[in-house]
Amino acid sequence: MHTERPNLLYIHSDQHDPYVTGCYGDQLVQTPNLDKLAAEGIVFENTYCPSPICVPSRMSMLSGRYPYENGVWTNSHILDSGIPTFAHAMGAAGYDPVLIGRMHALGHDQLHGYTERLVGDHGPNHPGGRGVDHGELSGTAGPARVSLQKSGPGQSAYQVHDEDVTAAAVDYLNRLGVQKRAGLLDTAFSISVGFMLPHQPFVTRHEDYLLYEGQMTMPQNPKPFSDELHPYFRWWREKCGIIEVSNDEILRARTAYWALVTRMDIMIGQILTALRENELDQNTIILYSSDHGEQVGEHGLWWKQTFYEHSVKVPAILSWRGNLPEGVRCDQVISSLDLNATMLDALGAPPLPNSRGRSVLPLFHNEDTKWEGIGFSEYCTDEGCYHRMVRYEDWKLNYYHGQPTQLFNLKEDPNELRDRSDDPACKDILMALTEKVLEGWDPDEITMQMEAKRADTRVLGQWARNTQPPDQYRWNLLPEMDFLD
């Protein structure tokens, strides 16, 4: 057991379906670096994101609070700078937390407790700021059919961004190595690395695409469009143009996605190699996770924005050699917010006072630790969606305000093919989980709060469009970076 203060390397990707990882059972994808990290640590089988969309999930992960508690429900909402974050807590413990790459926060505060930031986000810092031009791939970064139509070999600017992030992270570790060899490194470090991949566009360089071309499989559980679909999914598929998707589009998009995961794994490997070669891996906590998953065609769906497992579940791999067991798989139900609390606990940092996170470290240090297997996720939009999910032990309940509830037993039905909400035998569990999902979460109150935020955002957006404030941290995405071969 190490006694000196540990280091932290926290790697956070964007839109990584855990089931497209070797250590989570995918036999096709090549992820040797994540698989090696898994062999050296703990793989969490059931980790749920606080929201299946980027900004709300990320701001919850930073703050330790669910969206209804920190007021960030959409990608246009700004996290209050008065809310202390994971980075603030590390700073309070004496660390100088460094962020390299993606955070996806809006507003003047582009640090939220980090003391240094290298390589910013590709989008504007402010609502209404100068947007992004994806050139030939315009429209492919959002939830729209064009992302499936314009898929295949080429280049995504997001991969270029992540190559810059990787280079900066490797350089930072190399400079720490120089300081260590000179006897000048006298404090522990905290580095957070934010990737864009494997977020769509479903476009990747030809060399990576060739790894999977001709080998890609169709989704295991496609769902034809019909009147029997849940009303939310009927509306969503109509809105996004995915009522029917051709086999060619499906295979091209999936091939590219698997390739993007492999490319991300290669970059993670470069960072881990730099950590090891500079002898900085001793007493270093390494955590890999993502903000949400990706449907990749399962249930006839793409992107995220759902509570199905491929969208709402995230990979979580934790390694701390000499302090945590190696090669362990943990099937306890946890939340991404628990990962926040775990890192702070391991670093000896003060817990965030209003965090919902619980450290998982006692699970591996005390066999008698009792753990409530529970995780929540919520998805609220300006288009009138007020959804919340609870995963409780073997059960998952998806609550859609004003629409039918879904209930699944994931032990018996891991692919979520049998909705049990109308099953008389499930009446008691349906009632109990409905009470849990609505406890402290009032969709009518959220409706009013979001209406007020829309009014605020209109003014903020108009201000940014007229004044064109400079972006403090902005990676310069150029339209020529995006193309199809």
Side-chain angles (χ1 to χ4, degrees), residues 1-6 282-283 320:
M1 176 74 72
H2 295 287
T3 56
E4 68 270 19
R5 202 162 61 153
Q282 300 300 311
N283 197 23
W320 188 11

PDB file of all heavy atoms in Angstrom, residues 1-6 282-283 320:
ATOM      1  N   MET A   1       0.848  -1.194   0.000  1.00  0.00           N
ATOM      2  CA  MET A   1       0.000   0.000   0.000  1.00  0.00           C
ATOM      3  C   MET A   1       0.883   1.243   0.000  1.00  0.00           C
ATOM      4  O   MET A   1       1.769   1.389   0.822  1.00  0.00           O
ATOM      5  CB  MET A   1      -0.912   0.003   1.231  1.00  0.00           C
ATOM      6  CG  MET A   1      -1.758   1.251   1.383  1.00  0.00           C
ATOM      7  SD  MET A   1      -3.153   1.353   0.229  1.00  0.00           S
ATOM      8  CE  MET A   1      -4.224   0.092   0.902  1.00  0.00           C
ATOM      9  N   HIS A   2       0.641   2.149  -0.959  1.00  0.00           N
ATOM     10  CA  HIS A   2       1.403   3.387  -1.021  1.00  0.00           C
ATOM     11  C   HIS A   2       0.942   4.338   0.079  1.00  0.00           C
ATOM     12  O   HIS A   2      -0.236   4.396   0.427  1.00  0.00           O
ATOM     13  CB  HIS A   2       1.217   4.063  -2.383  1.00  0.00           C
ATOM     14  CG  HIS A   2       1.774   3.274  -3.524  1.00  0.00           C
ATOM     15  ND1 HIS A   2       3.115   3.148  -3.757  1.00  0.00           N
ATOM     16  CD2 HIS A   2       1.155   2.554  -4.490  1.00  0.00           C
ATOM     17  CE1 HIS A   2       3.313   2.389  -4.833  1.00  0.00           C
ATOM     18  NE2 HIS A   2       2.142   2.015  -5.292  1.00  0.00           N
ATOM     19  N   THR A   3       1.865   5.091   0.613  1.00  0.00           N
ATOM     20  CA  THR A   3       1.528   6.049   1.669  1.00  0.00           C
ATOM     21  C   THR A   3       1.585   7.479   1.169  1.00  0.00           C
ATOM     22  O   THR A   3       0.922   8.351   1.718  1.00  0.00           O
ATOM     23  CB  THR A   3       2.483   5.892   2.871  1.00  0.00           C
ATOM     24  OG1 THR A   3       3.841   6.035   2.400  1.00  0.00           O
ATOM     25  CG2 THR A   3       2.308   4.520   3.515  1.00  0.00           C
ATOM     26  N   GLU A   4       2.401   7.759   0.134  1.00  0.00           N
ATOM     27  CA  GLU A   4       2.461   9.121  -0.388  1.00  0.00           C
ATOM     28  C   GLU A   4       1.197   9.438  -1.183  1.00  0.00           C
ATOM     29  O   GLU A   4       0.440   8.544  -1.561  1.00  0.00           O
ATOM     30  CB  GLU A   4       3.716   9.320  -1.246  1.00  0.00           C
ATOM     31  CG  GLU A   4       3.722   8.544  -2.559  1.00  0.00           C
ATOM     32  CD  GLU A   4       4.335   7.166  -2.440  1.00  0.00           C
ATOM     33  OE1 GLU A   4       4.430   6.664  -1.300  1.00  0.00           O
ATOM     34  OE2 GLU A   4       4.700   6.605  -3.482  1.00  0.00           O
ATOM     35  N   ARG A   5       0.988  10.711  -1.449  1.00  0.00           N
ATOM     36  CA  ARG A   5      -0.225  11.139  -2.130  1.00  0.00           C
ATOM     37  C   ARG A   5      -0.245  10.616  -3.562  1.00  0.00           C
ATOM     38  O   ARG A   5       0.745  10.732  -4.284  1.00  0.00           O
ATOM     39  CB  ARG A   5      -0.283  12.674  -2.118  1.00  0.00           C
ATOM     40  CG  ARG A   5      -1.669  13.221  -2.308  1.00  0.00           C
ATOM     41  CD  ARG A   5      -1.759  14.653  -1.857  1.00  0.00           C
ATOM     42  NE  ARG A   5      -0.868  15.522  -2.613  1.00  0.00           N
ATOM     43  CZ  ARG A   5      -1.079  16.812  -2.805  1.00  0.00           C
ATOM     44  NH1 ARG A   5      -2.135  17.380  -2.295  1.00  0.00           N
ATOM     45  NH2 ARG A   5      -0.225  17.538  -3.477  1.00  0.00           N
ATOM     46  N   PRO A   6      -1.365  10.044  -4.021  1.00  0.00           N
ATOM     47  CA  PRO A   6      -1.400   9.457  -5.362  1.00  0.00           C
ATOM     48  C   PRO A   6      -1.576  10.498  -6.456  1.00  0.00           C
ATOM     49  O   PRO A   6      -2.020  11.627  -6.222  1.00  0.00           O
ATOM     50  CB  PRO A   6      -2.610   8.529  -5.307  1.00  0.00           C
ATOM     51  CG  PRO A   6      -3.514   9.171  -4.302  1.00  0.00           C
ATOM     52  CD  PRO A   6      -2.602   9.774  -3.273  1.00  0.00           C
ATOM     53  N   GLN A 282       3.670   4.831 -11.152  1.00  0.00           N
ATOM     54  CA  GLN A 282       3.666   4.338  -9.779  1.00  0.00           C
ATOM     55  C   GLN A 282       2.727   5.194  -8.927  1.00  0.00           C
ATOM     56  O   GLN A 282       2.788   6.417  -8.954  1.00  0.00           O
ATOM     57  CB  GLN A 282       5.085   4.381  -9.197  1.00  0.00           C
ATOM     58  CG  GLN A 282       6.083   3.539  -9.964  1.00  0.00           C
ATOM     59  CD  GLN A 282       5.694   2.069  -9.997  1.00  0.00           C
ATOM     60  OE1 GLN A 282       5.383   1.488  -8.966  1.00  0.00           O
ATOM     61  NE2 GLN A 282       5.719   1.469 -11.181  1.00  0.00           N
ATOM     62  N   ASN A 283       1.870   4.523  -8.181  1.00  0.00           N
ATOM     63  CA  ASN A 283       0.899   5.210  -7.313  1.00  0.00           C
ATOM     64  C   ASN A 283       0.044   6.198  -8.107  1.00  0.00           C
ATOM     65  O   ASN A 283      -0.206   7.319  -7.661  1.00  0.00           O
ATOM     66  CB  ASN A 283       1.598   5.928  -6.150  1.00  0.00           C
ATOM     67  CG  ASN A 283       0.625   6.274  -5.028  1.00  0.00           C
ATOM     68  OD1 ASN A 283      -0.434   5.660  -4.890  1.00  0.00           O
ATOM     69  ND2 ASN A 283       0.978   7.267  -4.237  1.00  0.00           N
ATOM     70  N   TRP A 320      -5.534   1.127  -9.999  1.00  0.00           N
ATOM     71  CA  TRP A 320      -4.650   1.772  -9.020  1.00  0.00           C
ATOM     72  C   TRP A 320      -3.772   0.653  -8.461  1.00  0.00           C
ATOM     73  O   TRP A 320      -4.054   0.071  -7.443  1.00  0.00           O
ATOM     74  CB  TRP A 320      -5.452   2.468  -7.933  1.00  0.00           C
ATOM     75  CG  TRP A 320      -4.645   3.311  -6.992  1.00  0.00           C
ATOM     76  CD1 TRP A 320      -3.341   3.685  -7.117  1.00  0.00           C
ATOM     77  CD2 TRP A 320      -5.113   3.876  -5.761  1.00  0.00           C
ATOM     78  NE1 TRP A 320      -2.951   4.469  -6.049  1.00  0.00           N
ATOM     79  CE2 TRP A 320      -4.029   4.599  -5.195  1.00  0.00           C
ATOM     80  CE3 TRP A 320      -6.329   3.858  -5.079  1.00  0.00           C
ATOM     81  CZ2 TRP A 320      -4.149   5.281  -3.983  1.00  0.00           C
ATOM     82  CZ3 TRP A 320      -6.451   4.537  -3.873  1.00  0.00           C
ATOM     83  CH2 TRP A 320      -5.363   5.243  -3.336  1.00  0.00           C
TER      84      TRP A 320
END
